Each structure stands twice: as structure tokens, then as C-alpha cells.
Coordinates of all heavy atoms in Angstrom, one line a residue:
F1 N 0.8 -1.2 0.0 CA 0.0 0.0 0.0 C 0.8 1.3 0.0 O 0.4 2.3 -0.3 CB -0.9 0.0 1.2 CG -2.1 0.9 1.1 CD1 -3.1 0.7 0.1 CD2 -2.2 2.1 1.8 CE1 -4.2 1.6 0.0 CE2 -3.3 3.0 1.7 CZ -4.2 2.7 0.8
I2 N 2.1 1.1 0.4 CA 3.0 2.3 0.3 C 3.0 2.8 -1.2 O 3.1 4.0 -1.4 CB 4.4 1.9 0.7 CG1 4.5 1.5 2.2 CG2 5.5 3.0 0.5 CD1 5.8 0.9 2.7
W3 N 2.9 1.9 -2.1 CA 2.9 2.3 -3.5 C 1.6 2.8 -4.0 O 1.4 3.1 -5.2 CB 3.4 1.1 -4.4 CG 4.9 1.1 -4.5 CD1 5.7 1.8 -5.5 CD2 5.8 0.5 -3.6 NE1 7.0 1.6 -5.3 CE2 7.1 0.8 -4.1 CE3 5.7 -0.2 -2.5 CZ2 8.3 0.3 -3.5 CZ3 6.8 -0.7 -1.8 CH2 8.1 -0.4 -2.3
M4 N 0.6 3.0 -3.1 CA -0.6 3.7 -3.4 C -0.5 5.1 -2.8 O -0.9 6.1 -3.4 CB -1.8 2.9 -2.8 CG -3.1 3.6 -3.1 SD -3.6 3.6 -4.8 CE -3.9 1.9 -5.1
V5 N 0.0 5.2 -1.6 CA 0.0 6.4 -0.8 C 1.0 7.4 -1.4 O 0.6 8.6 -1.8 CB 0.4 6.2 0.7 CG1 0.5 7.5 1.4 CG2 -0.7 5.3 1.3
I6 N 2.3 7.1 -1.5 CA 3.3 8.0 -2.0 C 3.1 8.4 -3.5 O 3.1 9.6 -3.8 CB 4.7 7.5 -1.7 CG1 4.9 7.3 -0.2 CG2 5.8 8.5 -2.3 CD1 6.3 6.8 0.2
P7 N 2.9 7.4 -4.4 CA 2.6 7.8 -5.8 C 1.3 8.7 -5.9 O 1.3 9.6 -6.7 CB 2.4 6.5 -6.5 CG 3.3 5.5 -5.7 CD 3.1 5.9 -4.3
G8 N 0.4 8.4 -5.0 CA -0.8 9.2 -5.0 C -0.5 10.7 -4.7 O -1.0 11.6 -5.3
L9 N 0.3 10.9 -3.7 CA 0.7 12.3 -3.3 C 1.5 12.9 -4.4 O 1.3 14.1 -4.7 CB 1.5 12.2 -2.0 CG 0.7 11.8 -0.7 CD1 1.7 11.6 0.5 CD2 -0.4 12.7 -0.4
L10 N 2.4 12.2 -5.0 CA 3.2 12.7 -6.1 C 2.4 13.0 -7.3 O 2.6 14.0 -8.0 CB 4.3 11.8 -6.4 CG 5.4 11.6 -5.4 CD1 6.4 10.5 -5.7 CD2 6.3 12.9 -5.3
L11 N 1.4 12.2 -7.6 CA 0.5 12.4 -8.7 C -0.3 13.7 -8.5 O -0.4 14.5 -9.4 CB -0.5 11.2 -8.8 CG -1.6 11.3 -9.8 CD1 -1.0 11.5 -11.2 CD2 -2.6 10.1 -9.8
V12 N -0.9 13.9 -7.3 CA -1.6 15.1 -7.0 C -0.7 16.4 -7.2 O -1.1 17.4 -7.8 CB -2.2 15.1 -5.6 CG1 -2.8 16.5 -5.2 CG2 -3.3 14.0 -5.5
S13 N 0.5 16.2 -6.7 CA 1.5 17.3 -6.8 C 1.8 17.7 -8.3 O 1.8 18.9 -8.6 CB 2.8 17.0 -6.1 OG 3.8 18.0 -6.3
S14 N 2.0 16.7 -9.1 CA 2.3 16.9 -10.5 C 1.1 17.5 -11.2 O 1.2 18.4 -12.1 CB 2.7 15.6 -11.2 OG 4.0 15.3 -10.8
V15 N -0.1 17.0 -11.0 CA -1.3 17.5 -11.6 C -1.5 19.0 -11.2 O -1.8 19.8 -12.1 CB -2.5 16.7 -11.2 CG1 -3.8 17.4 -11.7 CG2 -2.5 15.3 -11.8
R16 N -1.3 19.3 -10.0 CA -1.4 20.7 -9.5 C -0.4 21.6 -10.2 O -0.7 22.8 -10.6 CB -1.3 20.8 -8.0 CG -2.6 20.3 -7.3 CD -2.4 20.3 -5.8 NE -3.6 20.0 -5.1 CZ -3.7 19.8 -3.7 NH1 -2.6 20.1 -3.0 NH2 -4.8 19.5 -3.2
T17 N 0.8 21.1 -10.3 CA 1.9 21.9 -10.9 C 1.6 22.2 -12.4 O 1.8 23.3 -12.8 CB 3.2 21.2 -10.8 OG1 3.6 21.0 -9.4 CG2 4.4 21.9 -11.4
I18 N 1.2 21.2 -13.1 CA 0.8 21.3 -14.5 C -0.4 22.3 -14.7 O -0.4 23.1 -15.6 CB 0.6 20.0 -15.2 CG1 1.9 19.2 -15.2 CG2 0.0 20.2 -16.5 CD1 1.8 17.8 -15.8
A19 N -1.3 22.1 -13.8 CA -2.5 23.0 -13.8 C -2.1 24.5 -13.6 O -2.6 25.4 -14.3 CB -3.6 22.6 -12.8
R20 N -1.3 24.7 -12.6 CA -0.8 26.1 -12.3 C 0.0 26.6 -13.5 O -0.2 27.8 -13.9 CB 0.0 26.1 -11.1 CG -0.8 26.0 -9.8 CD 0.1 26.4 -8.6 NE 1.3 25.6 -8.5 CZ 1.4 24.5 -7.7 NH1 0.4 24.1 -7.1 NH2 2.5 23.8 -7.7
T21 N 0.8 25.8 -14.1 CA 1.6 26.2 -15.3 C 0.7 26.6 -16.4 O 1.0 27.6 -17.1 CB 2.6 25.1 -15.7 OG1 3.4 24.8 -14.6 CG2 3.4 25.5 -16.8
F22 N -0.3 25.8 -16.7 CA -1.2 26.1 -17.9 C -2.0 27.4 -17.5 O -2.3 28.2 -18.4 CB -2.1 24.9 -18.2 CG -1.5 24.0 -19.2 CD1 -0.9 22.8 -18.8 CD2 -1.5 24.3 -20.5 CE1 -0.3 21.9 -19.7 CE2 -1.0 23.4 -21.5 CZ -0.4 22.2 -21.0
A23 N -2.4 27.5 -16.3 CA -3.2 28.7 -15.9 C -2.3 30.0 -16.1 O -2.8 31.0 -16.6 CB -3.6 28.6 -14.5
A24 N -1.1 29.9 -15.7 CA -0.2 31.0 -15.8 C 0.1 31.3 -17.3 O 0.1 32.5 -17.7 CB 1.1 30.8 -15.1
F25 N 0.2 30.2 -18.1 CA 0.5 30.4 -19.5 C -0.7 31.0 -20.2 O -0.6 31.9 -21.1 CB 0.8 29.0 -20.2 CG 1.0 29.1 -21.7 CD1 2.1 29.5 -22.2 CD2 -0.1 28.7 -22.5 CE1 2.3 29.6 -23.6 CE2 0.1 28.7 -23.9 CZ 1.3 29.2 -24.4
D26 N -1.9 30.6 -19.9 CA -3.2 31.1 -20.5 C -3.3 32.6 -20.1 O -3.7 33.4 -20.9 CB -4.4 30.3 -20.0 CG -4.4 28.9 -20.6 OD1 -3.7 28.7 -21.6 OD2 -5.2 28.1 -20.0
K27 N -3.0 32.9 -18.8 CA -3.1 34.3 -18.4 C -2.1 35.2 -19.1 O -2.4 36.3 -19.6 CB -2.8 34.4 -16.9 CG -3.0 35.7 -16.3 CD -2.8 35.7 -14.8 CE -3.0 37.0 -14.1 NZ -2.8 37.0 -12.7
M28 N -0.9 34.7 -19.3 CA 0.1 35.4 -20.1 C -0.3 35.6 -21.5 O -0.1 36.7 -22.1 CB 1.5 34.7 -20.0 CG 2.6 35.5 -20.7 SD 4.2 34.6 -20.5 CE 3.8 33.1 -21.5
T29 N -0.8 34.5 -22.1 CA -1.2 34.6 -23.5 C -2.3 35.6 -23.7 O -2.4 36.4 -24.7 CB -1.7 33.2 -24.0 OG1 -0.7 32.3 -23.8 CG2 -2.2 33.3 -25.4
L30 N -3.3 35.6 -22.8 CA -4.4 36.6 -22.8 C -3.9 38.0 -22.7 O -4.3 38.9 -23.4 CB -5.4 36.3 -21.7 CG -6.7 37.2 -21.6 CD1 -7.5 37.0 -22.9 CD2 -7.5 36.8 -20.5
A31 N -2.9 38.2 -21.8 CA -2.4 39.6 -21.6 C -1.6 40.0 -22.9 O -1.7 41.2 -23.2 CB -1.4 39.5 -20.4
L32 N -0.9 39.1 -23.5 CA -0.2 39.5 -24.7 C -1.2 39.8 -25.9 O -0.9 40.7 -26.6 CB 0.7 38.3 -25.2 CG 2.0 38.1 -24.3 CD1 2.7 36.8 -24.8 CD2 2.9 39.3 -24.5
K33 N -2.3 39.1 -25.9 CA -3.3 39.4 -26.9 C -3.9 40.7 -26.7 O -4.1 41.5 -27.7 CB -4.4 38.3 -26.9 CG -4.0 37.0 -27.5 CD -5.1 36.0 -27.5 CE -4.7 34.7 -28.2 NZ -5.9 33.7 -28.2
K34 N -4.2 41.0 -25.4 CA -4.8 42.4 -25.1 C -3.8 43.5 -25.5 O -4.2 44.5 -26.0 CB -5.2 42.4 -23.7 CG -6.4 41.6 -23.3 CD -6.7 41.7 -21.8 CE -8.0 41.0 -21.5 NZ -8.3 41.1 -20.0
G35 N -2.5 43.2 -25.2 CA -1.5 44.2 -25.5 C -1.4 44.4 -26.9 O -1.2 45.5 -27.4
T36 N -1.4 43.3 -27.7 CA -1.3 43.4 -29.2 C -2.5 44.1 -29.8 O -2.3 45.0 -30.6 CB -1.2 42.0 -29.8 OG1 0.0 41.3 -29.2 CG2 -1.0 42.1 -31.3
N37 N -3.7 43.8 -29.3 CA -4.9 44.5 -29.8 C -4.9 46.0 -29.5 O -5.3 46.8 -30.3 CB -6.1 43.8 -29.2 CG -6.3 42.4 -29.7 OD1 -5.8 42.1 -30.8 ND2 -7.0 41.6 -29.0
G38 N -4.4 46.3 -28.2 CA -4.4 47.7 -27.8 C -3.4 48.5 -28.7 O -3.7 49.6 -29.1
H39 N -2.3 47.9 -29.0 CA -1.3 48.5 -29.8 C -1.8 48.8 -31.2 O -1.6 49.8 -31.8 CB 0.0 47.7 -29.8 CG 1.1 48.3 -30.7 ND1 1.8 49.4 -30.3 CD2 1.5 47.9 -31.9 CE1 2.7 49.7 -31.2 NE2 2.5 48.8 -32.2
A40 N -2.5 47.7 -31.7 CA -3.1 47.8 -33.1 C -4.1 48.9 -33.2 O -4.2 49.7 -34.1 CB -3.7 46.5 -33.5
K41 N -5.0 49.1 -32.2 CA -6.0 50.1 -32.1 C -5.4 51.5 -32.0 O -5.8 52.4 -32.7 CB -7.0 49.9 -31.0 CG -7.9 48.7 -31.1 CD -8.8 48.5 -29.9 CE -9.7 47.3 -30.1 NZ -10.6 47.1 -28.9
G42 N -4.3 51.6 -31.2 CA -3.6 52.9 -31.1 C -3.0 53.3 -32.4 O -3.0 54.5 -32.8
S43 N -2.5 52.3 -33.2 CA -1.9 52.6 -34.5 C -2.9 53.1 -35.5 O -2.7 54.0 -36.2 CB -1.2 51.4 -35.0 OG -0.1 51.0 -34.1
K44 N -4.1 52.5 -35.4 CA -5.2 52.9 -36.3 C -5.6 54.4 -36.0 O -5.9 55.2 -36.9 CB -6.4 52.0 -36.2 CG -6.1 50.6 -36.8 CD -7.3 49.7 -36.7 CE -7.1 48.4 -37.3 NZ -8.2 47.5 -37.1
K45 N -5.7 54.7 -34.7 CA -6.1 56.1 -34.4 C -5.1 57.1 -34.9 O -5.5 58.2 -35.3 CB -6.3 56.2 -32.9 CG -7.5 55.5 -32.3 CD -7.6 55.6 -30.8 CE -8.9 55.0 -30.3 NZ -9.0 55.1 -28.8
E46 N -3.8 56.8 -34.8 CA -2.8 57.7 -35.2 C -2.9 57.9 -36.7 O -2.7 59.0 -37.3 CB -1.4 57.1 -34.9 CG -1.1 57.2 -33.4 CD 0.2 56.5 -33.1 OE1 0.9 56.2 -34.0 OE2 0.6 56.5 -31.9

């Protein structure tokens, strides 16, 4: 059962780490898109 407990804890840790990484990546991607769109609109106004 040791091979149920410790791998279970490590599995949860890895899933959480990957989930946080994708969340941060999605947030960064969204921010870059907003920044790109804002720059494009500013260029049109000029």
C-alpha cells in the first residue's frame, strides 16, 4: 500500500503543478493578446 500512498501524493502534486503552469500560460497569452490588440487600435487612431 506504500505504492498507493506516496505515488498518490506525487500524482496530485504533478497535476497541480501542471494545472498552475497552464493557468499562468493562459493568463500570459491573454495579456499578450490584449496588449497586441491595444497597440493595433492605437496605431489605427494615429
